[in-house]
Amino acid sequence: MSSRPLPAWSMPAGRGEDLQLPVEWPAQLTREWAWGDSTGKDVRVCILDSGIDPGHPLVGDLDGAVAVTVLEGDEVEINDDHEGDLCGHGTACAGIVRALAPDCRISSVRVLGAGFTGSGPALLGGLRWAVEQGFDVINMSLSTTKRQFAGILHELADTAYFRKTVLVASAHNMPVESYPWRFSSVISVGSHEEPDPLVYYYNPNPPVEFFARGLDVEVAWLAGGKLRVTGNSFATPHMSGICALVLGKHRELTPFQLKSVLYLTSGNVGGGR
Amino acid sequence: MSEDLKAAVAAGVLGADEEHRALLQSVVEVARAIFSARASSVFLLDEDADELVFEAVAGEGAESLIGQRIPSSTGIAGWVLVTRQPLVIDDLANDPRHARDVAESTGYVPQGLMCVPLLHEEKALGVLNVLDRASQFTLEEMELLGLFANQAAIGLDLLQRARRAQAVLAESGDPAEALARVASLLEGDNADAGRKLLGALEDVLRPRM
């Protein structure tokens, strides 16, 4: 009989040794184990947002910056972005990630600027491109209420999950149905009111899974400036930065394992040890 | 379609434009009052032009600027509309570009801005701004802002449908043709809510025995 496994989704008999995990998990998982001494080095983080202000001192060098252009028939085109940030929000997210994981590699995918009518195709096209690039972490503070996009977003979120790309998405601040943050294959984030950027909590009442710092946060903004801001969209890059720290130390973690690490190191579970 | 229903549609859309303006004014007045803010304003999405239109202001602000248009997917209001997420910003004066943009629609440079999308079902109707609130912001206030924006959006959506129906009626002198065109507006995502609206109008206007 061939030693090659059959092309099926079951575990062939006697091949348990192939499933050894590359990481030895400690009996009690601590923050020190999870990201002690990590700077997020070489972890590739994508900010899917309004663009990033080039050369902002709180963001530093970018790995790349592209913009999504919506063509006729809702086709999209990905081009190098020379516009920078059309709002300030993407720069803010990038600065939060950089502060937590100083040696990670940040890229910008700008999905804003195509008009409101082009925003749905731009979001889908930008996310699809980002998933294809194999980023380690994709930070998205965007959501859509259009049910017609939910199916495609769900597929993209699952594709990312199985390709070991962690999608970190803002939960909605308002009582409306929106996507993709509600999907279980993403890490969804809401806000808490505490000022510590490394404090986060697991929420035992989903769909929001984690709460991170999102109130009165000082962030990078346009033209090298700074502002104070509030919202779930700023809690999200805090979790993205923490993901980058963990992946900087444990590159082999799958999104499921990474989520487990976040759970076990949450303030209300492992107590932030 | 019954004569009663035809009458109900015709009566129901009468004055929709005035009601629309009154509701918008009420939304900004109440938003300003809830947060003891210096001003509040609302931009609605003009889908055909793909632009945001400055529709109403309460408190400090320049009413003469009503009708001003801004891009639908750039700047703070554009980000809020596209992402459908509220945004709260303090030290807005540190962002000269946006401080100027906001000042152009309010007549002064605010320090603090809360911008929230007006969402109803799948639709994003516009954004509501609350400028220079009195108190320190909390996440509870964010929830309150979201709840209020939700309520405002439901009212605006109903009135916008009535406005469209009014426009259709105005285009045609033939009641049967006009009714057919009103009925055609009830297809797709809006059908259920539209039928409920017409049903409610019929109930209200039907002569009582």
Side-chain angles (χ1 to χ4, degrees):
Chain A
M1 201 172 145
S2 163
S3 63
R4 290 178 58 206
L6 294 169
W9 302 117
S10 56
M11 185 179 111
R15 298 195 59 88
E17 72 276 8
D18 291 349
L19 298 182
Q20 293 300 312
L21 299 180
V23 183
E24 186 133 339
W25 285 58
Q28 184 165 36
L29 198 140
T30 62
R31 289 186 165 205
E32 175 57 32
W33 179 89
W35 72 70
D37 298 326
S38 175
T39 57
K41 188 168 171 52
D42 291 336
V43 176
R44 296 174 66 223
V45 180
C46 169
I47 308 291
L48 193 84
D49 210 293
S50 56
I52 297 177
D53 195 15
H56 196 294
L58 296 179
V59 177
D61 292 338
L62 297 180
D63 239 26
V66 298
V68 183
T69 308
V70 180
L71 310 172
E72 280 196 27
D74 288 347
E75 293 291 312
V76 298
E77 198 174 75
I78 310 289
N79 296 305
D80 286 345
D81 187 9
H82 304 291
E83 298 271 331
D85 191 341
L86 300 185
C87 165
H89 192 277
T91 303
C93 291
I96 290 170
V97 171
R98 177 65 79 210
L100 287 164
D103 291 329
C104 74
R105 294 162 56 189
I106 295 178
S107 296
S108 167
V109 175
R110 178 164 63 78
V111 294
L112 234 69
F116 178 75
T117 52
S119 60
L123 168 64
L124 290 178
L127 181 59
R128 178 173 289 117
W129 185 84
V131 171
E132 286 168 355
Q133 302 312 301
F135 288 108
D136 299 304
V137 180
I138 298 175
N139 182 93
M140 55 185 303
S141 301
L142 301 84
S143 66
T144 178
T145 48
K146 292 272 186 195
R147 289 188 196 100
Q148 71 186 88
F149 297 136
I152 304 169
L153 279 171
H154 206 159
E155 282 176 27
L156 284 172
D158 278 356
T159 301
Y161 184 88
F162 295 128
R163 288 187 183 179
K164 290 179 65 173
T165 291
V166 180
L167 202 54
V168 188
S170 296
H172 217 286
N173 285 283
M174 298 162 66
V176 294
E177 285 278 324
S178 66
Y179 319 95
W181 69 272
R182 292 181 67 89
F183 303 144
S184 55
S185 49
V186 312
I187 293 176
S188 59
V189 189
S191 307
H192 64 59
E193 295 198 332
E194 296 175 44
D196 188 333
L198 286 172
V199 166
Y200 54 93
Y201 298 99
Y202 171 72
N203 177 20
N205 301 301
V208 182
E209 286 186 309
F210 292 95
F211 296 120
R213 185 185 182 197
L215 179 74
D216 208 21
V217 186
E218 186 175 78
V219 293
W221 205 258
L222 297 178
K226 285 192 282 188
L227 289 180
R228 283 184 303 116
V229 292
T230 292
N232 289 352
S233 60
F234 304 106
T236 306
H238 280 94
M239 287 313 287
S240 292
I242 292 163
C243 286
L245 283 181
V246 177
L247 290 174
K249 193 170 174 184
H250 304 288
R251 291 306 299 255
E252 61 294 319
L253 294 183
T254 64
F256 171 80
Q257 290 174 311
L258 177 59
K259 220 185 246 196
S260 304
V261 170
L262 295 176
Y263 166 71
L264 290 168
T265 51
S266 292
N268 55 338
V269 181
R273 281 185 293 265
Chain B
M1 225 177 274
S2 72
E3 288 302 316
D4 277 352
L5 184 56
K6 289 178 187 175
V9 171
V13 298
L14 284 177
D17 211 42
E18 291 76 12
E19 295 293 332
H20 190 256
R21 189 128 316 274
L23 178 64
L24 282 171
Q25 194 59 41
S26 167
V27 164
V28 289
E29 300 281 357
V30 175
R32 182 181 176 227
I34 290 174
F35 295 101
S36 303
R38 196 166 159 194
S40 174
S41 61
V42 69
F43 285 85
L44 293 187
L45 176 66
D46 176 343
E47 285 188 44
D48 293 334
D50 204 358
E51 290 174 324
L52 282 165
V53 187
F54 187 59
E55 295 275 4
V57 61
E60 195 158 342
E63 287 186 16
S64 60
L65 293 166
I66 285 175
Q68 184 199 18
R69 289 168 175 268
I70 61 173
S72 64
S73 73
T74 62
I76 292 165
W79 188 91
V80 167
L81 184 74
V82 167
T83 65
R84 294 165 163 81
Q85 287 277 18
L87 201 52
V88 178
I89 297 179
D90 286 300
D91 306 333
L92 191 66
N94 288 352
D95 177 0
R97 195 170 99 195
H98 289 121
R100 190 186 62 237
D101 287 351
V102 176
E104 281 173 2
S105 61
T106 57
Y108 79 101
V109 178
Q111 273 299 311
L113 167 71
M114 300 194 292
C115 188
V116 62
L118 296 166
L119 304 173
H120 182 57
E121 294 177 344
E122 292 193 4
K123 283 185 287 186
L125 307 173
V127 297
L128 171 68
N129 288 324
V130 178
L131 309 170
D132 289 333
R133 67 188 178 278
S135 58
Q136 178 71 28
F137 194 74
T138 62
L139 293 179
E140 205 175 343
E141 276 194 306
M142 177 73 98
E143 290 194 5
L144 181 61
L145 180 66
L147 284 172
F148 174 69
N150 236 24
Q151 186 188 33
I154 291 168
L156 278 169
D157 184 53
L158 279 172
L159 273 176
Q160 285 188 346
R161 289 180 201 188
R163 271 176 122 190
R164 285 199 295 274
Q166 186 183 41
V168 168
L169 283 173
E171 278 175 26
S172 172
D174 178 349
E177 186 186 331
L179 259 295
R181 293 174 69 176
V182 169
S184 74
L185 293 173
L186 301 181
E187 290 175 358
D189 297 340
N190 301 331
D192 280 350
R195 283 191 203 100
K196 282 179 193 160
L197 173 64
L198 289 180
L201 282 170
E202 187 182 10
D203 283 348
V204 168
L205 296 171
R206 179 183 291 135
R208 299 275 181 259
M209 298 303 290

